[in-house]
Amino acid sequence: MTDSPPTTSLPAQSPPVDPAETEVAGHKASAGTARLSWWHGDGGDGARRNLALIGVLLILFVIGAATRSDLYSNPDWVWANMLSILKLASVVGVVTVGMTFVIIGGGIDLSVGAIVALAGVWCTTVATQSFGAAGMIFTAIVVGMAVGLVNGTLIAYGRLVPFIATLAMLVAARGLAAEISDKQTQISQNSTINGIASNSLLGIPLLVYILAAVVIAGWVLLNRTTFGRRTVAVGGNPEAARLAGINVKLHTLLLYVLSGLCCGIAAIMLTAQATSAQAAMANLYELDAIAAVIIGGTLLSGGRGTIVGSLLGVIIFATITNLFAINGLSTEAQNMVKGGIIVAAVLIQQVQFGSLSQFFRRNNRLTTS
């Protein structure tokens, strides 16, 4: 009698699963997780900040309506005032787009106001105006980009600290503008250039259209191109970006050229508004642009920021200026309020940003689990 082979019990098998049901369930889970992570995680930080900035604008509107109800009760005046605010923000807004790229890339540009002045003075010389509107626009843009190229070369290849290099350019560009203009105001005789500030299309000033075009182009460049992704990478960790194959020096140079391009465009806009140019124009524009970028949520250390947030920051400051003007308040009080807002924004970045992100990430894990 032989022993029968031992019998082994097979493990219980699960019932067959329909692949289609699994795929649908996976899509639902991933979609739900994506929605949660978009709002609670770092990806929704820009949206949360922009909504907060829109809330600030609404508060400023309410304050204006409460303090000057006689004006805000007129819908036509409200619409005209909104266009005035956008027109007021247009020139600084264009400069701020370039500044946003520079700061996201880990740098800073203190010379933007001086570049605007130099480009404005150079394009309004008698020799340049003889070439017409096209010659003036070409000159302003080329001068802005050339100065940005010098800044970028000194910083990227000369290894100068951005603060020092652009501070030196601030002084040098102002001095060159004064030398070219002989410290005199140069009048723009070109009706096409002057019409940029005075003409409207569909009831909206041309300056607002230019601002919108620059903002849209900046948003696409930052969010939908390799250049934008490299900008974030360089600002977040230059060494890691270099190891990933990014030419950090060349990219840094291009960021300052882009800032100079925006300054050249702003020079034409400001010249059109004043129908003239002088070495003292665009005074302290660098501070206004940096403040708007900070208010918009861009980190001073680089690696994070949004074009829309910077635009909202510019509009907030323009709205504050408008609010103080219609209430007859002093410029000194206005500057104190702006300074307080800047300090509060920096403190929020340094103190609350890390803890807030950790809170949302922890809440996201608890919700998804």
Side-chain angles (χ1 to χ4, degrees), residues 161-187:
V161 178
F163 181 90
I164 300 299
T166 57
L167 181 62
M169 182 57 71
L170 182 155
V171 179
R174 290 281 183 192
L176 182 57
E179 182 69 21
I180 292 174
S181 63
D182 196 21
K183 300 181 182 179
Q184 302 296 319
T185 300
Q186 298 182 163
I187 305 300

Side-chain angles (χ1 to χ4, degrees), residues 94 134 156 230 312:
V94 170
R230 289 179 177 177
L312 291 174

Side-chain angles (χ1 to χ4, degrees), residues 113-114 117-118 169-179 278-286:
L118 179 59
M169 182 57 71
L170 182 155
V171 179
R174 290 281 183 192
L176 182 57
E179 182 69 21
Q278 56 179 328
M281 68 190 294
N283 187 34
L284 297 181
Y285 270 33
E286 55 276 358

Side-chain angles (χ1 to χ4, degrees), residues 50-274:
N50 292 342
L51 287 176
L53 293 174
I54 293 174
V56 172
L57 286 174
L58 293 176
I59 292 174
L60 292 175
F61 182 86
V62 171
I63 292 175
T67 55
R68 292 302 305 268
S69 57
D70 56 326
L71 296 177
Y72 278 80
S73 60
N74 184 351
D76 294 334
W77 182 90
V78 172
W79 172 247
N81 190 54
M82 290 174 59
L83 292 179
S84 298
I85 292 173
L86 292 176
K87 191 174 180 179
L88 177 64
S90 60
V91 179
V92 178
V94 170
V95 174
T96 301
V97 171
M99 183 70 77
T100 302
F101 276 91
V102 170
I103 295 181
I104 291 177
I108 197 166
D109 193 348
L110 300 180
S111 64
V112 290
I115 297 176
V116 171
L118 179 59
V121 166
W122 208 318
C123 77
T124 53
T125 60
V126 176
T128 304
Q129 292 194 54
S130 64
F131 290 96
M136 295 177 67
I137 295 173
F138 176 80
T139 300
I141 291 177
V142 169
V143 169
M145 295 178 67
V147 178
L149 178 63
V150 174
N151 280 336
T153 302
L154 293 174
I155 293 168
Y157 296 96
R159 297 184 178 181
L160 289 182
V161 178
F163 181 90
I164 300 299
T166 57
L167 181 62
M169 182 57 71
L170 182 155
V171 179
R174 290 281 183 192
L176 182 57
E179 182 69 21
I180 292 174
S181 63
D182 196 21
K183 300 181 182 179
Q184 302 296 319
T185 300
Q186 298 182 163
I187 305 300
S188 172
Q189 305 289 347
N190 191 283
S191 58
T192 302
I193 295 296
N194 298 340
I196 294 175
S198 58
N199 294 335
S200 300
L201 179 63
L202 301 177
I204 300 176
L206 292 181
L207 290 175
V208 178
Y209 284 108
I210 296 175
L211 172 63
V214 173
V215 168
I216 292 173
W219 186 90
V220 172
L221 185 62
L222 180 62
N223 296 280
R224 292 293 183 268
T225 66
T226 304
F227 184 88
R229 291 190 291 271
R230 289 179 177 177
T231 300
V232 175
V234 170
N237 192 326
E239 182 61 21
R242 185 187 67 82
L243 294 175
I246 298 175
N247 191 333
V248 176
K249 291 183 178 180
L250 177 60
H251 193 85
T252 300
L253 184 146
L254 293 177
L255 289 176
Y256 285 93
V257 172
L258 177 61
S259 178
L261 170 63
C262 292
C263 290
I265 297 172
I268 291 294
M269 298 168 68
L270 189 57
T271 300
Q273 281 186 313

